[in-house]
Amino acid sequence: MGGHAPVVGAHVYVMQAGTGGYASAATNIMGSGSAGSDTHGKYVLTDFAGNFNISGDYACTPGAGTKPGLPVYLVAAGGAPYVAIPVSVITQATGSGPGNNGTGFNDTFVGANLLYVGEYVTLANLTGSGWTSLNGLTLQVVAATPTGFTVYNANFGPTGPVTETSATATPSPAPPVPNPAIANVAVLGNCPTTGNFSSSGTGSDIITQVYMNEVSAAAAAYSLSGFASGPFNIGIPSGNAMATTGIQNAANNAAQLYSIAGQYVSNVNAGEGHIANPTTPVGNGTVAQAALDTLGNILASCVDSPNTASSASGTCTTLFQFATNNGIPSFEGVSGTVSPTDTFTAAVNMAHNPAGSAAYSGDDIVENLYGLQSAETTPFSPNLTLQPVDFTVGIKFPVNGSPESVVVDASGNFWYSSQISAAAQGPNEPCTNGSTCGTSEVDELSPLGVSLYSHTNNNFVYGDVTVDSNGNAWTGNLTGYEDSTEILPGTPYATDTVSQTFTYAAGPVADAIGDVFFVHGPTAGFPQNGDNIELTEINASRGSANGSPFIASSFSVNNGTTESYYNVRHGAIDQAGFLWFVSEGGSIISRIPAGTITGLPALGFPIGNPNDISNCSATIATPEVPAIDGNGNAWIPMNGAGGVVNILEVTSTGNCSTHRGGSGPYGAAVDGANTVWITDDTGNTITQLNSSTGSASVSYAVDQFLNKPTGIAVDTSGDLLITNYGSSSIVEVIGAATPTYAPLGVAAALGKLGAKP
């Protein structure tokens, strides 16, 4: 279906994601096609009602062993909208024309309009002086607006008003001219291991009916944007297990956004009507329904227009000018800018550039694309009635407490820590000496946001979370009352602790061989001035007689200053194997072991010296969660102490520079395109930075889903996971980033930081 009407004569293909690389050519898996084949393979055609039948026309290629295969999806390309439904007419405007000279009149009907230019309608049930003579005539629509349409009447024009009449659109004398820009897509799911989508088999769902339109296309484009460049170019590298997991999770996300079975239909009679999901299928998350419906309306403005191979419509022209591959309008003439030629590719480009690009100084990309929604009668509702800040699409999952840290494992599951009850505490704030701390959790959610595990502790506040190379999650404490915790996924899950070792150990960092590093205070009690601060390496998988974690090595440095040890909150690891730690309260950034940074003792952690980074004249104030890019640079948000609000970029040799990153930057992450993402916990946005230049691209509000965002991570599908400290939720931003290797410790060892799997 197009936005307003069935699409007649579209070529419908059954495609499976290719294996020739990212965005490689997809594979047509139809065994037969009743209408023949073309450059994209075999296909069937849609009829005048938009119907098609693919029963028996494809074979689903199973995956290896019991692992499901790659995503399978439908593409409906070309064809033309075709209306064959009654259209209500409320009044009739004065006919226009040269008079009674036989050259004809244009008669304009005012009311809710579902018709398009070039379509033929047969008028019926007209009343009023002179109007009954039009009943039974089949006339062509010569103009159309959201509130009316005009037909050409070769005969004498009637006079007088007409009220409460109706016109009925019937099949055209000839098929309408095809619109080559139409490319609607619907994701069926991941290929079952046996059978296909019409027969029962392991991992299969029987699909009997598919509703494919511009909303299903937007859902598919955003979910698969990390692997796609167009409707026939969706793929991954052959034999790449992590990329396979990523694209499978992405295909599942398409079903989170839109039900191909037509579960939700608009109650506004403005068009075909199958709209985005308001919630995820199992009800565990809120979907940005209005944002997706708006995307469908924008695409429908091109689909419904009189766009042909020889004559471009104004709406398609506008869409293709602004929804380019790099977020720069095509008329700017910037090298490398490529305009799409179909609606699905335009949606993929909008997913990649939801608010344009910083390279384009104009602010009218969102304005012009949003304006297309009103170019025709809005077919999908509810939709955004005010122009958004950006075209991001999110899902918000409610969680307990105030979540802060979030990380992703190799399967695309995400782990997070959350403060459930702790008086007068902000993000990752420790309890003070003698205070009482509340309950904390560390939890695991599936790629679809379904709870897999939850571990609660009533004695202390959890710090950050990290995932080691064995898939185990680790978190430390911020209270001094309990040890660090390792969680081993399995059936059932197991929990280990390292006894009598850690206090105020908030920022664990995992490496590639299963070891985890903590910076922490003394072994017992609240840290005092002059106490030692320690860097401890825990070996979780080697040399332990009972299989439990054990201390592999520990180093300490005497402080002798007023530095608060528990303020060492966050850490990261780079591709050279160096550990980075930040002291939030002490405003210290350190890279361990030393070698090129002055002032660092070998294998130790420097304390009390604000100039631990050489060659850097920037003010370090309240450094928060760091991220390391593929070039070995650390990106560290400065969260506002003394009015310092920026992003500090620190090279491996200690040079540094500052960049803009919102009004309250807190968390950082790097995606598979080496792009840096920053959360802004006061501006309630996320900001995208170019890691080569440090220039800010744009900030995104994610359909107003963000509320004091703190932690951020990128998964293997190219989605952003963001913790909302202020509203007990985690937001998944669909397809905004580039698929990323996980977990980060393994990525660092393999040289995969800032790179795709």
Side-chain angles (χ1 to χ4, degrees):
M1 302 289 293
H4 291 128
V7 178
V8 58
H11 291 200
V12 180
Y13 312 83
V14 185
M15 308 297 295
Q16 187 173 38
T19 56
Y22 289 96
S24 58
T27 302
N28 186 315
I29 61 172
M30 297 185 75
S32 62
S34 60
S37 62
D38 58 18
T39 57
H40 302 300
K42 297 173 181 178
Y43 62 89
V44 297
L45 285 172
T46 57
D47 63 17
F48 281 99
N51 296 322
F52 60 92
N53 192 335
I54 58 172
S55 178
D57 287 329
Y58 75 100
C60 192
T61 306
T66 59
K67 189 176 182 65
L70 296 178
V72 176
Y73 61 98
L74 301 177
V75 179
Y82 183 84
V83 175
I85 57 177
V87 179
S88 296
V89 178
I90 301 173
T91 61
Q92 193 276 327
T94 303
S96 62
N100 302 336
N101 58 6
T103 58
F105 266 58
N106 287 331
D107 299 321
T108 300
F109 293 85
V110 179
N113 178 33
L114 304 178
L115 305 175
Y116 65 93
V117 174
E119 187 174 6
Y120 288 85
V121 295
T122 299
L123 301 175
N125 303 320
L126 299 179
T127 61
S129 175
W131 287 91
T132 55
S133 62
L134 295 181
N135 288 325
L137 292 181
T138 299
L139 305 173
Q140 188 173 26
V141 176
V142 295
T145 69
T147 57
F149 64 93
T150 300
V151 293
Y152 176 71
N153 173 20
N155 301 315
F156 175 79
T159 60
V162 178
T163 58
E164 297 186 6
T165 61
S166 64
T168 303
T170 58
S172 305
V177 178
N179 180 350
I182 297 175
N184 281 336
V185 171
V187 178
L188 300 182
N190 294 309
C191 190
T193 55
T194 60
N196 54 34
F197 292 107
S198 63
S199 61
S200 179
T202 303
S204 67
D205 291 319
I206 297 177
I207 299 173
T208 58
Q209 180 76 25
V210 175
Y211 291 92
M212 180 164 39
N213 60 17
E214 293 90 346
V215 180
S216 73
Y222 271 64
S223 299
L224 294 167
S225 66
F227 310 92
S229 62
F232 300 102
N233 289 88
I234 300 175
I236 61 170
S238 177
N240 189 317
M242 186 168 289
T244 299
T245 298
I247 198 171
Q248 289 170 342
N249 291 341
N252 291 334
N253 261 342
Q256 297 273 84
L257 303 178
Y258 177 86
S259 169
I260 61 172
Q263 183 175 0
Y264 297 101
V265 182
S266 172
N267 57 8
V268 178
N269 184 23
E272 182 267 341
H274 288 95
I275 55 177
N277 296 342
T279 60
T280 56
V282 298
N284 64 321
T286 301
V287 177
Q289 183 188 47
L292 270 166
D293 288 347
T294 297
L295 290 170
N297 292 333
I298 291 170
L299 302 182
S301 71
C302 175
V303 171
D304 287 341
S305 69
N307 187 74
T308 68
S310 59
S311 177
S313 69
T315 50
C316 287
T317 297
T318 299
L319 176 65
F320 297 157
Q321 281 181 336
F322 288 95
T324 60
N325 65 316
N326 58 7
I328 302 174
S330 58
F331 53 74
E332 290 294 310
V334 175
S335 176
T337 302
V338 179
S339 292
T341 58
D342 65 79
T343 53
F344 180 80
T345 303
V348 170
N349 291 345
M350 292 173 71
H352 289 160
N353 309 284
S357 169
Y360 175 58
S361 59
D363 60 358
D364 58 348
I365 289 180
V366 172
E367 178 182 354
N368 277 275
L369 291 174
Y370 178 75
L372 291 173
Q373 180 176 233
S374 60
E376 301 279 346
T377 303
T378 302
F380 304 112
S381 178
N383 56 296
L384 299 176
T385 56
L386 296 175
Q387 180 179 314
V389 175
D390 54 75
F391 290 115
T392 49
V393 170
I395 303 174
K396 183 167 67 174
F397 301 105
V399 299
N400 289 332
S402 299
E404 182 187 6
S405 172
V406 62
V407 293
V408 176
D409 66 19
S411 298
N413 302 321
F414 42 104
W415 293 82
Y416 67 94
S417 59
S418 184
Q419 297 180 18
I420 305 304
S421 61
Q425 289 178 193
N428 228 2
E429 274 193 29
C431 299
T432 57
N433 192 10
S435 69
T436 300
C437 288
T439 303
S440 271
E441 285 185 5
V442 59
D443 300 297
E444 181 188 18
L445 300 182
S446 77
L448 298 182
V450 176
S451 178
L452 300 177
Y453 173 81
S454 180
H455 175 73
T456 303
N457 193 292
N458 296 319
N459 296 323
F460 70 94
V461 175
Y462 283 127
D464 287 353
V465 182
T466 191
V467 174
D468 67 23
S469 58
N470 301 309
N472 306 332
W474 292 81
T475 185
N477 72 74
L478 281 166
T479 65
Y481 303 126
E482 187 169 322
D483 309 315
S484 284
T485 301
E486 178 195 22
I487 299 167
L488 297 81
T491 307
Y493 281 65
T495 302
D496 280 340
T497 60
V498 180
S499 300
Q500 302 302 317
T501 302
F502 298 127
T503 59
Y504 299 91
V509 178
D511 66 10
I513 60 173
D515 289 3
V516 181
F517 297 83
F518 285 87
V519 175
H520 57 93
T523 57
F526 190 82
Q528 302 295 320
N529 293 340
D531 284 339
N532 286 346
I533 186 167
E534 294 187 349
L535 167 64
T536 294
E537 178 183 8
I538 300 175
N539 188 301
S541 60
R542 296 177 289 122
S544 175
N546 60 6
S548 297
F550 75 104
I551 304 296
S553 57
S554 184
F555 312 95
S556 64
V557 177
N558 186 275
N559 176 22
T561 72
T562 59
E563 167 63 15
S564 297
Y565 308 132
Y566 58 78
N567 279 325
V568 179
R569 303 282 180 79
H570 314 290
I573 188 170
D574 65 25
Q575 293 180 157
F578 286 76
L579 302 169
W580 294 76
F581 287 102
V582 301
S583 172
E584 180 184 290
S587 295
I588 296 172
I589 299 170
S590 299
R591 186 174 185 254
I592 308 167
T596 57
I597 309 297
T598 61
L600 300 187
L603 298 177
F605 191 86
I607 299 300
N609 179 1
N611 298 311
D612 294 323
I613 298 174
S614 64
N615 308 322
C616 181
S617 60
T619 300
I620 301 172
T622 326
E624 297 292 356
V625 185
I628 314 298
D629 68 21
N631 300 316
N633 304 319
W635 297 78
I636 306 169
M638 303 288 117
N639 193 244
V644 177
V645 179
N646 54 42
I647 309 302
L648 187 67
E649 177 189 5
V650 185
T651 70
S652 60
T653 56
N655 294 301
C656 68
S657 54
T658 58
H659 310 287
R660 181 177 64 85
S663 57
Y666 191 91
V670 177
D671 71 13
N674 214 30
T675 298
V676 182
W677 296 85
I678 305 292
T679 58
D680 182 348
D681 71 352
T682 59
N684 292 329
T685 59
I686 52 174
T687 298
Q688 184 180 358
L689 293 172
N690 184 315
S691 65
S692 298
T693 64
S695 62
S697 176
V698 282
S699 294
Y700 308 124
V702 195
D703 202 39
Q704 310 303 317
F705 274 178
L706 301 181
N707 187 335
K708 201 172 182 59
T710 51
I712 185 170
V714 188
D715 69 12
T716 56
S717 300
D719 308 317
L720 295 171
L721 289 311
I722 301 169
T723 54
N724 266 342
Y725 189 86
S727 64
S728 301
S729 59
I730 292 178
V731 174
E732 184 176 16
V733 189
I734 305 298
T738 299
T740 306
Y741 203 98
L744 292 178
V746 178
L750 297 177
K752 285 286 190 178
L753 290 178
K756 295 179 182 179

